[in-house]
């Protein structure tokens, strides 16, 4: 009878925590505001479209900047070869026609967009989501619902929409 009580007491003591080990934390952090996905060890992080100011909408024909970060955990470099947000946008361009992501490298996250969605087909207010497909040469394609965020807070320093 003593062993079960002793084991239970040890489990309770172990579960009581203490300080986190150096370099590790159990603190919770708020998630980023963008879309996140991984396809064949290619990570897409914090993808979002910079939309119109609060209370306004992007209009048909407008273009919209697309921001994201890519992290390549693959054994070889890969390229983002296309982005598509059809049918909401008729086309898209990638900075430099394609985006090379070397192994263990982070690309994106700066003040300039990594792609521009072109030819909006209908009104698009900030606050919603649009489906965007990211296609990599080797890793394949991933489709994510990407938020449309207004150019407020920290996003106010980013390149605005052309008609913004």
């Amino acid at each position: 009878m003593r062993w079960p009580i002793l084991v239970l007491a040890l489990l309770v003591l172990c579960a009581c925590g203490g300080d986190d080990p150096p370099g590790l934390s159990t603190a919770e952090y708020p998630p980023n505001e963008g879309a996140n996905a991984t396809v064949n060890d290619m990570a897409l992080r914090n993808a979002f479209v910079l939309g119109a100011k609060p209370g306004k909408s992007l209009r048909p024909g407008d273009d919209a900047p697309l921001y994201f970060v890519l992290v390549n955990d693959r054994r070889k470099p890969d390229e983002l070869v296309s982005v598509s947000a059809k049918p909401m946008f008729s086309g898209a361009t990638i900075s430099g026609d394609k985006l090379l992501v070397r192994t263990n490298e982070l690309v994106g996250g700066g003040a300039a967009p990594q792609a521009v969605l072109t030819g909006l087909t209908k009104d698009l207010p900030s606050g919603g989501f649009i489906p965007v497909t990211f296609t990599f040469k080797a890793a394949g394609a991933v489709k994510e619902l990407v938020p449309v965020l207004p150019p407020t807070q920290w996003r106010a320093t980013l390149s605005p929409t052309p008609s913004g």
Side-chain angles (χ1 to χ4, degrees):
M1 184 71 177
R2 288 184 191 176
W3 284 107
I5 293 172
L6 181 60
V7 170
L8 181 60
L10 286 172
L11 287 174
V12 169
L13 286 174
C14 290
C16 287
D19 291 336
D20 292 331
L24 298 178
S25 175
T26 56
E28 292 188 32
Y29 294 93
N32 60 41
E33 297 179 84
N36 299 292
T38 301
V39 59
N40 294 319
D41 293 328
M42 179 65 73
L44 168 71
R45 298 291 179 256
N46 201 27
F48 66 92
V49 172
L50 188 62
K53 294 177 182 174
K56 300 194 180 224
S57 294
L58 296 178
R59 302 284 180 212
D62 284 350
D63 297 341
L66 176 63
Y67 292 86
F68 52 87
V69 174
L70 299 174
V71 181
N72 184 356
D73 289 329
R74 300 174 58 78
R75 293 176 189 234
K76 295 183 178 181
D78 202 350
E79 298 173 354
L80 178 68
V81 293
S82 71
V83 173
S84 175
K86 292 183 178 184
M88 187 62 72
F89 287 88
S90 61
T93 59
I94 298 173
S95 178
D97 294 326
K98 61 184 175 182
L99 203 55
L100 177 65
V101 188
R102 291 181 178 82
T103 301
N104 298 316
E105 181 180 66
L106 179 137
V107 172
Q114 287 66 56
V116 176
L117 303 176
T118 58
L120 181 63
T121 59
K122 63 181 184 176
D123 282 0
L124 180 63
S126 291
F129 293 84
I130 59 171
V132 179
T133 302
F134 298 83
T135 304
F136 298 92
K137 185 175 184 178
V142 62
K143 186 174 189 176
E144 279 298 306
L145 286 176
V146 174
V148 180
L149 302 175
T152 57
Q153 301 173 354
W154 60 270
R155 294 177 302 276
T157 61
L158 301 176
S159 301
T161 58
S163 61

